[in-house]
Amino acid sequence: MMQTEKTFRTTCPYCGVGCGVLATRHDDHSVTIQGDPDHPANYGRLCSKGTALGETFGLEERLLFPEIEGQRCDWERALRRVADRFSQTIAAHGPNSVAFYVSGQILTEDYYVANKLMKGYIGSANIDTNSRLCMASSVAGHKRAFGSDTVPGQYEDLEHADLVILTGSHLAWCHPVLFQRLLAARTTNPALKIVVIDPRRTTTADIADLHLPLAPDSDVALFNGLLRALAQAGKADHSFIRNHTEGLDDCLAEANHYSLDVTHHLTGLSKEALETFFDWFLKTEKTVTLYSQGVNQSERGTDKVNAILNCHLFTGRIGKLGMGPFSATGQPNAMGGREVGGLANQLAAHMELGNPQHRRLVQSFWQSPRLADAPGLKAVDLFKAVAKGDVKALWIMATNPVDSLPDADAVKAALQACPFVVISDVSAQTDSLPFAHVKLPAAAYGEKSGTVTNSERCISRQRSFLPLPGDAKPDWWIISQVAQRMGWKEAFDYPDEAAIFREHAALSAYENHNTRDFDIGALRNLSRTAYDQLAPVIWPCPEKGARKARFFADGHFYTKTGRAKFITTAPLPSLNAAHDPQHPFIFNTGRVRDHWHTMTRTGQSERLSGHYGEPFLEIHPKDAAALDLKDASLTEISSDYGHALLRVLITERQRPGSVFAPLHWSAQYAAQGRIGSVIAPVTDPFSGQPASKMSPVAVKAFAAAWYGFAISVEKPAQPKTSYWALAKTKGGWRMELAEAQTDKQKTRTDGVSLMEQLFGPDTATEETLSYYDQTAQLYRLARFREHRLTAALFLAPAPVAVSRSWACHSLTVDCFSPQDRLHFLAGRPGSNRPDPGQTLCACFDVGINQVLQAIKDGHVHSVEEIGQKIQAGSNCGSCRPELKRLLDANTTIKHLKSVS
Ligand SMILES: Nc1nc2c(c(=O)[nH]1)N[C@H]1C(S)=C(S)[C@@H](COP(=O)(O)OP(=O)(O)OC[C@H]3O[C@@H](n4cnc5c(=O)[nH]c(N)nc54)[C@H](O)[C@@H]3O)O[C@H]1N2
Ligand SMILES: Nc1nc2c(c(=O)[nH]1)N[C@H]1C(S)=C(S)[C@@H](COP(=O)(O)OP(=O)(O)OC[C@H]3O[C@@H](n4cnc5c(=O)[nH]c(N)nc54)[C@H](O)[C@@H]3O)O[C@H]1N2
Ligand code: SF4
Ligand SMILES: [Mo]
């Protein structure tokens, strides 16, 4: 057979680290993924999500054909319908009656044409993006201080710093390769200190020299306190402040209120901890402050950003190697979206909607019939306008607002009421799609081609290495075709994505003359071949003149005066959840290591579904005890907006009074796991970014009549029970279940009927065995086909106590002997099938019990040795903090035992 195996150089589609990937397509259509050793973001490293990319290329869940009102149709009809309905709506109600809601997960070329169509041709700025939920506060903070949305930092700064402050960032899980670079830097430079500022003790905090578990949303007070301490210690960089900044006096006057006592009082941090933090910052020139959603997603997110920037400006620690503020972006193309001006209050190429000169320039470059002249609606307001009927036609691309926006049930209702909704997605199964009048199948990662920009402003190519399946088409093509059918043929007649990129690059340079930070003029004439071969490049890269090595090193900023601005930041009056007796807990939300947002892709990977199999709520032991919540039971959280049903995870990592849940579980994977419905639609006044980390909620125990656990080879149907959560596992699927307490007793027939609800009636070739323990009320059913297990269901009055990993593993066993069947029904692993335990290392599929066994056997004494002996932690490294914790806990116990 002819060998057609081929390796493609591309970029990871998940987080903003933007790692280079080598994708090798094999003759059997499988794809293997490796880190690209030559990419400057990762130099060959990948994390668990990147490593498992090969498991997400299946077509089972893909949206492959356009649909109108649920009926498959050809592209011409679908495009025509979208174009006609948008044109008619605009003709009848004006340009602001339509809107696009797009995403940091489309490519720069897609984003550029969407923004051009809305702002330059439709003539409205009603295009906003999920970046509003993500980076908007950083954008607003940068603009206030620098006059431009410039991220001055670069990854290599982490390697040259002596102090790295991670605030509102769970780097180990959310930017794992950057985290690895940081750990490697500490190995080379043992003097490097790491401070983690996060109300939760995360696994990122485990590696910190100092963890500051501040009170939620008290960051402004903390950094104001730091600014005061810097001033008092005489740490001002006077020449930098005098020559390159303004506004310090007012800013300092405010900061001076934050004495150690006041800061201690507001942040809840001990004075010793504060003094240590201040002291390290005072003494360390090479300091990087890296921040993410704990900073941005807040009612005072923009002020938090500026409070950080103030401290760096004050000390002149900006624009130089090994120092500076650094906002770590979330999505793979969050930065590209900012470059094309994808937010409702921006114009293209880092130009301003509010600047008439910029508007003239963009319009003359586009030669467009009109140009939006006022900011459009920001995400939360956009959906409110949809609900009110002001926006009558909405096109959603590459984002799932029914899950990810706050007050998500209101978003559902808005979409339900909207006369015309178009959704472009790669998945046929998202929570938003049922509301679409027209569904458009987009090309997915691996099929699409274009560019993305990562957190350090590095533009990299995503290259296609898989054929387009079904009728799927790239997003830029879909948007351009609609634009052409709306009457703008010439302006959107792009032969390919390279042509769009050239136009984007040319606009960035157009009459720029170093007045705008974003300039990639050197790339404006790339041929198709040069575009295809484009190596990763960090902007700016102007066509003429020297390329700036670093922004702000020369003291030049993009404000009117050319000076950076100190911004006076005072905490807003607090939302103060603790004072709402109906909702006494603060609800903090975020991410887990192995899932990506609403799980449309990572949910398909068995390896990535092993770390956490269901939605959960972290709660402090004291709070759990007061509420009579037992570990592994279920809990209901509720707010004025909605409620969710989650598994209880009791942990001291959580602050008393706060609870935490991940945002990932959609209605595709859990009955009531959509936590977006619980979040209050409170936004930052400057950025419009929702405060997704701080909603007041009530927490109570869920009274269950019974709990269940099921596994199956085929995907089970969604049952009608109060609780269920579905996850992929090796050989099939697993599901957790529970039903609310009723008067009805659990009976045998309930088990059989639930089994049938989930898996259908058993076929002639299948045999169902059951086991019933009347006293303990345990009920177990298992279905076999020949020697293999096809499905099983365990029911009990308390959370089902069988090992999940062992049960799941049974799906892959070739030969079930009669004795194995009995063992299985008894819920116990046979001695020939040890239980690996919960997945700890997703890269090599190593379970917690395997690690514990290796420790117990005395084979391993360090994280490195665990890697050498059983591979865990030796690839992406994001489980290393968890390995270290296991090692510490278990070697200490052993040591104590041997002493006693
Ligand atoms: N595994 C994984 N990685 C991802 C993603 C994913 O879905 N999964 N998504 C990507 C995207 S789009 C984004 S935006 C990034 C997000 O990356 P991060 O911002 O690092 O992740 P989060 O978990 O949202 O939140 C970070 C931390 O902020 C803390 N926090 C909450 N409130 C406060 C506060 O008041 N002050 C401070 N200082 N901290 C607080 C939370 O406890 C949490 O640990 O991750 C990216 N990477
Ligand atoms: N409570 C709470 N809510 C949050 C957050 C939080 O921390 N807490 N974080 C917020 C943040 S930072 C973010 S970034 C958002 C993320 O939230 P979303 O953007 O809603 O989440 P995703 O699951 O990434 O949605 C992307 C969708 O695009 C589809 N898709 C993937 N690739 C393509 C493509 O190439 N083209 C098209 N057309 N579709 C594609 C996927 O199948 C999926 O349906 O969530 C926000 N919401
Ligand atoms: S850190 Fe992981 S998810 Fe982020 S880009 Fe790199 S491989 Fe992808
Ligand atoms: Mo994000």
Side-chain angles (χ1 to χ4, degrees):
M1 200 174 95
M2 201 177 73
Q3 278 290 325
T4 49
E5 183 174 295
K6 197 170 168 208
T7 297
F8 298 78
R9 211 173 269 276
T10 183
T11 313
C12 177
Y14 293 121
C15 85
V17 178
C19 297
V21 161
L22 297 178
T24 306
R25 212 180 57 205
H26 301 282
D27 292 337
D28 64 355
H29 303 294
S30 66
V31 177
T32 44
I33 298 287
Q34 286 166 293
D36 178 355
D38 298 324
H39 197 287
N42 56 319
Y43 298 107
R45 299 174 177 96
L46 288 180
C47 78
S48 52
K49 291 182 296 305
T51 307
L53 268 171
E55 288 176 30
T56 61
F57 298 134
L59 298 181
E60 301 81 22
E61 313 242 314
R62 284 292 296 279
L63 179 66
L64 292 174
F65 301 96
E67 281 177 28
I68 298 178
E69 307 288 356
Q71 298 298 314
R72 180 173 158 181
C73 66
D74 60 26
W75 270 111
E76 186 49 43
R77 279 197 58 209
L79 295 166
R80 184 48 63 206
R81 174 66 63 96
V82 177
D84 287 351
R85 285 299 297 263
F86 268 76
S87 299
Q88 288 157 9
T89 309
I90 295 163
H93 306 283
N96 289 331
S97 64
V98 302
F100 295 165
Y101 183 57
V102 304
S103 159
Q105 292 169 74
I106 54 176
L107 304 173
T108 300
E109 293 75 2
D110 307 325
Y111 235 132
Y112 177 85
V113 285
N115 188 56
K116 177 177 174 183
L117 172 57
M118 185 51 85
K119 291 189 181 135
Y121 287 78
I122 292 175
S124 163
N126 276 349
I127 170 169
D128 211 38
T129 136
N130 64 359
S131 283
R132 182 70 59 197
L133 322 177
C134 182
M135 302 314 305
S137 298
S138 282
V139 174
H142 290 152
K143 281 191 177 175
R144 287 204 299 185
F146 308 147
S148 59
D149 175 22
T150 317
V151 176
Q154 284 175 216
Y155 297 161
E156 62 176 358
D157 291 333
L158 296 176
E159 277 129 16
H160 292 271
D162 293 317
L163 173 63
V164 172
I165 298 156
L166 305 173
T167 179
S169 155
H170 190 351
L171 203 72
W173 285 8
C174 296
H175 298 95
V177 165
L178 266 193
F179 179 74
Q180 284 178 53
R181 285 182 67 164
L182 180 62
L183 289 188
R186 185 158 66 176
T187 311
T188 324
N189 172 16
L192 167 64
K193 287 205 167 61
I194 299 171
V195 177
V196 172
I197 306 173
D198 191 314
R200 294 192 299 152
R201 184 155 51 81
T202 59
T203 42
T204 304
D206 286 346
I207 57 112
D209 298 287
L210 178 67
H211 170 220
L212 299 176
L214 81 178
D217 258 3
S218 64
D219 307 58
V220 169
L222 177 63
F223 281 88
N224 281 356
L226 172 62
L227 186 63
R228 176 181 181 274
L230 287 165
Q232 298 229 318
K235 286 289 167 185
D237 181 337
H238 293 293
S239 110
F240 182 82
I241 293 169
R242 192 175 340 100
N243 296 326
H244 305 303
T245 70
E246 58 197 13
L248 178 62
D249 292 348
D250 288 347
C251 182
L252 259 189
E254 172 63 26
N256 277 332
H257 298 307
Y258 297 81
S259 64
L260 194 62
D261 274 342
V262 170
T263 310
H264 154 69
H265 177 70
L266 291 173
T267 60
L269 296 169
S270 72
K271 290 186 195 167
E272 296 72 34
L274 285 169
E275 277 174 328
T276 308
F277 172 50
F278 294 168
D279 185 53
W280 290 357
F281 199 108
L282 291 175
K283 290 189 178 138
T284 319
E285 174 73 3
K286 292 201 166 174
T287 297
V288 171
T289 308
L290 183 145
Y291 56 94
S292 196
Q293 298 315 346
V295 168
N296 292 328
Q297 287 173 339
S298 157
E299 202 187 353
R300 62 220 59 175
T302 308
D303 273 358
K304 287 189 187 184
V305 169
N306 286 109
I308 295 169
L309 301 184
N310 286 341
C311 294
H312 279 271
L313 290 171
F314 187 79
T315 46
R317 294 178 193 162
I318 191 164
K320 296 175 212 149
L321 186 66
M323 60 185 84
F326 197 158
S327 113
T329 54
Q331 300 180 89
N333 202 27
M335 291 285 264
R338 284 147 74 171
E339 288 151 23
V340 304
L343 290 158
N345 50 328
Q346 289 182 334
L347 210 48
H350 278 203
M351 284 183 262
E352 297 295 323
L353 256 181
N355 179 328
Q357 155 82 357
H358 283 174
R359 282 206 308 277
R360 182 196 61 72
L361 212 144
V362 173
Q363 192 176 357
S364 84
F365 179 86
W366 280 341
Q367 297 281 297
S368 66
R370 53 189 74 81
L371 195 81
D373 56 5
L377 294 162
K378 300 186 175 117
V380 172
D381 293 336
L382 172 61
F383 281 86
K384 284 185 184 158
V386 173
K388 269 173 61 192
D390 294 346
V391 168
K392 299 173 201 306
L394 175 67
W395 188 352
I396 297 167
M397 305 173 203
T399 176
N400 235 318
V402 156
D403 297 324
S404 53
L405 272 168
D407 195 6
D409 286 345
V411 170
K412 252 189 185 178
L415 290 181
Q416 185 81 57
C418 186
F420 190 59
V421 178
V422 184
I423 297 186
S424 309
D425 207 291
V426 302
S427 167
Q429 278 156 20
T430 79
D431 291 352
S432 304
L433 269 173
F435 300 96
H437 299 95
V438 180
K439 299 178 189 170
L440 302 175
Y445 177 68
E447 301 149 14
K448 58 184 186 175
S449 157
T451 54
V452 289
T453 309
N454 73 8
S455 296
E456 62 166 350
R457 310 189 312 275
C458 180
I459 298 174
S460 295
R461 287 278 279 117
Q462 263 196 23
R463 296 182 174 90
S464 56
F465 53 89
L466 294 168
L468 285 171
D471 280 353
K473 291 282 187 189
D475 287 295
W476 68 263
W477 182 90
I478 304 173
I479 304 158
S480 308
Q481 291 296 320
V482 167
Q484 292 189 27
R485 282 164 186 73
M486 288 177 79
W488 300 302
K489 175 122 187 56
E490 222 174 290
F492 292 89
D493 195 11
Y494 297 109
D496 60 8
E497 65 281 11
I500 304 171
F501 185 81
R502 282 193 294 270
E503 185 177 310
H504 164 62
L507 176 55
S508 77
Y510 188 58
E511 294 185 22
N512 188 328
H513 315 302
N514 200 21
T515 55
R516 310 189 301 265
D517 64 338
F518 181 64
D519 186 344
I520 55 166
L523 308 177
R524 75 191 175 95
N525 288 321
L526 287 185
S527 66
R528 174 78 221 195
T529 316
Y531 175 76
D532 280 338
Q533 291 171 352
L534 185 69
V537 50
I538 292 182
W539 62 260
C541 33
E543 192 169 22
K544 296 195 195 86
R547 183 177 173 272
K548 260 183 210 263
R550 291 244 156 198
F551 277 107
F552 311 145
D554 54 4
H556 173 72
F557 293 87
Y558 294 89
T559 51
K560 282 204 184 81
T561 55
R563 290 166 175 272
K565 287 200 168 79
F566 284 97
I567 304 292
T568 306
T569 54
L572 288 176
S574 172
L575 188 66
N576 218 342
H579 290 153
D580 174 356
Q582 301 299 314
H583 302 109
F585 287 91
I586 290 172
F587 186 32
N588 176 10
T589 64
R591 288 149 173 84
V592 300
R593 191 187 74 193
D594 291 349
H595 275 306
W596 178 261
H597 298 162
T598 68
M599 287 167 57
T600 60
R601 289 174 290 161
T602 49
Q604 294 178 49
S605 157
E606 57 197 44
R607 268 193 291 173
L608 298 180
S609 303
H611 191 224
Y612 287 105
E614 57 181 333
F616 59 86
L617 186 81
E618 286 184 358
I619 185 164
H620 190 272
K622 274 193 204 145
D623 290 332
L627 295 167
D628 203 19
L629 288 179
K630 303 272 182 298
D631 217 354
S633 64
L634 292 169
T635 175
E636 186 179 346
I637 55 163
S638 56
S639 68
D640 284 339
Y641 302 89
H643 69 106
L645 204 50
L646 309 165
R647 185 74 60 184
V648 175
L649 208 158
I650 300 174
T651 167
E652 291 194 337
R653 295 176 164 266
Q654 193 49 247
R655 283 173 70 82
S658 287
V659 288
F660 173 88
L663 71 125
H664 307 292
W665 275 267
S666 67
Q668 310 297 318
Y669 287 98
Q672 301 184 57
R674 285 173 52 248
I675 58 153
S677 70
V678 181
I679 312 277
V682 171
T683 55
D684 175 277
F686 303 101
S687 66
Q689 178 155 358
S692 324
K693 302 260 183 275
M694 185 147 165
S695 276
V697 293
V699 179
K700 65 172 190 199
F702 170 81
W706 54 262
Y707 291 84
F709 172 65
I711 47 172
S712 59
V713 172
E714 303 292 333
K715 187 173 180 177
Q718 295 187 355
K720 292 188 181 60
T721 52
S722 324
Y723 180 81
W724 59 263
L726 178 70
K728 196 98 190 248
T729 182
K730 205 181 279 172
W733 298 85
R734 52 178 282 196
M735 190 182 256
E736 300 288 342
L737 300 123
E739 185 56 276
Q741 224 158 42
T742 58
D743 299 336
K744 231 170 92 209
Q745 274 286 315
K746 179 100 245 69
T747 66
R748 249 166 190 279
T749 29
D750 280 333
V752 172
S753 78
L754 182 57
M755 190 85 175
E756 294 197 350
Q757 230 188 87
L758 292 167
F759 313 118
D762 54 1
T763 58
T765 55
E766 283 176 322
E767 183 188 359
T768 301
L769 301 185
S770 65
Y771 165 91
Y772 186 48
D773 176 339
Q774 179 118 33
T775 341
Q777 293 274 304
L778 298 180
Y779 197 12
R780 293 169 187 159
L781 299 114
R783 215 180 256 183
F784 295 91
R785 185 181 298 133
E786 294 175 355
H787 297 297
R788 296 197 71 135
L789 176 73
T790 56
L793 176 64
F794 298 78
L795 297 172
V800 174
V802 297
S803 156
R804 302 307 192 253
S805 47
W806 156 78
C808 292
H809 181 69
S810 305
L811 288 173
T812 62
V813 171
D814 281 339
C815 187
F816 255 88
S817 67
Q819 202 182 9
D820 290 339
R821 292 181 181 203
L822 292 180
H823 269 306
F824 185 80
L825 278 179
R828 280 194 309 270
S831 56
N832 56 341
R833 302 222 175 90
D835 168 19
Q838 183 201 14
T839 309
L840 206 76
C841 167
C843 298
F844 293 112
D845 204 6
V846 183
I848 195 166
N849 291 347
Q850 290 167 283
V851 178
L852 285 172
Q853 190 62 44
I855 299 172
K856 199 170 132 212
D857 293 346
H859 294 327
V860 294
H861 306 92
S862 67
V863 174
E864 284 66 36
E865 280 182 15
I866 295 180
Q868 285 153 14
K869 288 278 183 329
I870 56 171
Q871 289 187 301
S874 61
N875 178 44
C876 89
S878 38
C879 64
R880 276 188 213 157
E882 283 156 289
L883 292 175
K884 170 114 185 13
R885 194 149 35 93
L886 272 187
L887 207 58
D888 288 349
N890 291 287
T891 40
T892 319
I893 292 166
K894 217 159 113 185
H895 173 72
L896 288 178
K897 275 191 189 143
S898 62
V899 172
S900 58

